[in-house]
DNA sequence: AAACCGACCAACCGCCACATT
DNA sequence: TAATGTGGCGGTTGGTCGGTT
C-alpha cells in the first residue's frame, strides 16, 4: 500500500492543492505520482494527483460544452469502439476520457436512447492494445490515441473487422482537425497544438501560465511561473 | 422561502498490465 | 522468475447546483 499509514485527503481539490501539484509538475515533470506527497507534503495519493492533472490541470484539457461536431464524433467512435473511453477521448482533441464518459452517460446515451447503466461489463483490456499504447509516448499526441484493431468480443457493441475499424478511424481525422481549429486553439491567440507542443517540447511554462490565466477561460488560477 | 428531486461532473475504487528490482 | 511498484483504464459514487413543487 502506498503512503505507509498516511491519511490521504479525499474529495474536491482546493486551489492551494492545485498550486502545490502544479509546482511539483513544473519541477519534476509528469509521472512519479507516488512521490508527490513525499516531496510536497500534499495529502493526496499518487492516483489522485495523476487524475487531477490528467482531468483538470493539464493544458491539454478543454473545458466547456461539447460542440455538435464533438458529439457526432463521440457517437460514431462509440459505435466503433464501445465503452473504451480513453481511445475515444484520444480522438476528441482536448477532451479527457472522464469527460467523454460523463458526457456520454449524461447526455448522449439519453439522446440515443441507450441505457448505459445496463450490462455492468468490466471493460476488457487487450494486451496488444495496451502494449501499443505504452510504446507510443509522444506527449503532443495523447498517448491514448493509438488506435488498434479490436478483437471480436461480446463485451462491446463493436461488430467491425480490423480493416473496417482502421478505415473508419482514418475517416475521422479531417473532422478532428476541424474541431481542433474551430474550438480549441484560438481563445488566447495561441493555437492549442502549438501551445501544447511548445510547452512539452520546449518546456515553455510561460505559455502554459498564459493559458491558465486566460480570462476567457472558465477556470484560471491566481499564480504563474514568473521565475522561469 | 423551503424542501425536494434530478442532472451533472469531479473524484474514487478496483482491477489489470507493464516496469523495475 | 517472482515480488513489488507504478500507471492507466472503465465503472461507480457522492457532492453540488439548478429547477420544480
Amino acid at each position: 500500500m502506498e503512503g505507509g499509514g498516511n491519511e490521504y485527503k479525499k474529495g474536491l481539490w482546493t486551489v492551494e492543492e492545485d498550486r502545490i501539484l502544479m509546482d511539483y509538475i513544473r519541477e519534476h515533470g509528469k509521472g512519479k505520482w507516488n512521490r508527490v506527497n513525499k516531496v510536497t507534503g500534499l495529502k493526496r495519493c499518487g492516483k489522485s494527483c495523476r487524475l487531477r492533472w490528467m482531468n483538470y490541470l493539464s493544458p491539454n484539457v478543454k473545458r466547456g460544452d461539447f460542440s455538435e461536431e464533438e458529439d457526432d464524433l463521440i457517437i460514431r467512435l462509440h459505435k466503433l469502439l464501445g465503452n473504451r473511453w480513453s481511445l475515444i477521448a484520444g480522438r476528441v482533441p482536448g477532451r479527457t476520457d472522464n469527460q467523454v464518459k460523463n458526457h456520454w452517460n449524461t447526455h448522449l446515451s439519453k439522446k440515443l436512447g441507450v441505457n448505459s447503466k445496463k450490462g455492468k461489463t468490466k471493460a476488457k483490456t487487450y494486451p496488444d492494445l495496451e502494449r501499443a499504447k505504452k510504446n507510443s509516448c509522444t506527449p503532443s499526441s495523447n498517448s491514448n490515441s493509438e488506435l488498434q484493431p479490436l478483437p471480436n468480443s461480446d463485451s462491446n457493441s463493436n461488430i467491425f473487422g480490423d480493416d473496417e475499424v482502421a478505415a473508419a478511424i482514418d475517416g475521422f481525422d479531417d473532422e478532428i482537425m476541424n474541431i481542433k481549429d474551430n474550438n480549441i486553439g484560438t481563445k488566447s491567440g495561441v493555437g492549442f497544438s502549438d501551445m501544447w507542443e511548445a510547452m512539452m517540447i520546449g518546456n515553455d511554462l510561460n505559455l502554459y501560465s498564459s493559458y491558465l490565466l486566460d480570462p476567457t477561460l472558465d477556470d484560471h488560477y491566481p499564480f504563474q511561473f514568473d521565475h522561469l
Side-chain angles (χ1 to χ4, degrees):
Chain A
M1 289 296 282
E2 57 190 13
N6 271 354
E7 290 267 329
Y8 290 117
K9 188 181 166 190
K10 292 182 182 178
L12 296 179
W13 282 63
T14 65
V15 171
E16 177 63 14
E17 287 176 315
D18 283 345
R19 190 189 61 77
I20 292 169
L21 180 57
M22 295 286 287
D23 283 347
Y24 173 86
I25 292 167
R26 181 196 61 195
E27 287 191 26
H28 301 91
K30 291 190 292 178
K32 311 277 196 295
W33 299 110
N34 283 313
R35 291 187 193 170
V36 175
N37 79 310
K38 296 184 182 80
V39 172
T40 66
L42 192 61
K43 294 265 185 284
R44 295 282 182 170
C45 70
K47 271 190 165 184
S48 184
C49 293
R50 175 186 163 272
L51 208 66
R52 182 63 177 170
W53 169 258
M54 304 286 273
N55 286 335
Y56 196 84
L57 296 176
S58 168
N60 207 9
V61 176
K62 176 190 169 191
R63 316 201 65 76
D65 294 340
F66 281 68
S67 66
E68 290 284 332
E69 291 90 346
E70 287 174 307
D71 281 357
D72 183 54
L73 188 57
I74 291 167
I75 289 166
R76 290 158 65 188
L77 283 166
H78 188 269
K79 259 186 194 162
L80 280 173
L81 301 168
N83 293 357
R84 295 168 71 185
W85 306 115
S86 65
L87 277 182
I88 295 172
R91 292 273 161 175
V92 184
R95 299 298 187 181
T96 69
D97 55 351
N98 211 30
Q99 281 179 307
V100 171
K101 179 171 56 182
N102 281 334
H103 187 61
W104 176 268
N105 287 333
T106 56
H107 294 96
L108 300 181
S109 63
K110 286 175 196 162
K111 193 170 158 183
L112 299 174
V114 176
N115 189 345
S116 61
K117 298 279 183 181
K118 284 256 172 77
K120 186 184 167 186
T121 50
K122 171 73 182 154
K124 288 184 77 91
T125 53
Y126 307 104
D128 289 346
L129 173 65
E130 297 301 324
R131 209 168 298 123
K133 284 192 288 184
K134 295 278 181 191
N135 289 341
S136 65
C137 317
T138 49
S140 59
S141 68
N142 187 326
S143 65
N144 296 328
S145 65
E146 189 78 29
L147 283 162
Q148 296 294 318
L150 285 166
N152 287 327
S153 161
D154 58 2
S155 66
N156 287 313
S157 58
N158 172 52
I159 56 169
F160 299 91
D162 296 355
D163 293 341
E164 288 164 290
V165 171
I169 290 298
D170 282 346
F172 286 129
D173 286 348
D174 287 344
E175 288 182 53
I176 291 168
M177 290 315 294
N178 286 336
I179 291 172
K180 258 184 177 170
D181 292 344
N182 292 338
N183 297 332
I184 298 178
T186 56
K187 274 187 169 177
S188 57
V190 177
F192 178 83
S193 309
D194 293 343
M195 179 200 70
W196 179 243
E197 283 184 23
M199 209 193 82
M200 297 312 293
I201 296 169
N203 201 24
D204 186 348
L205 289 166
N206 286 321
L207 205 52
Y208 186 4
S209 95
S210 73
Y211 173 85
L212 284 177
L213 295 166
D214 185 339
T216 66
L217 298 176
D218 292 337
D219 301 286
H220 65 280
Y221 288 84
F223 54 84
Q224 58 182 323
F225 307 116
D226 48 4
H227 58 286
L228 282 172

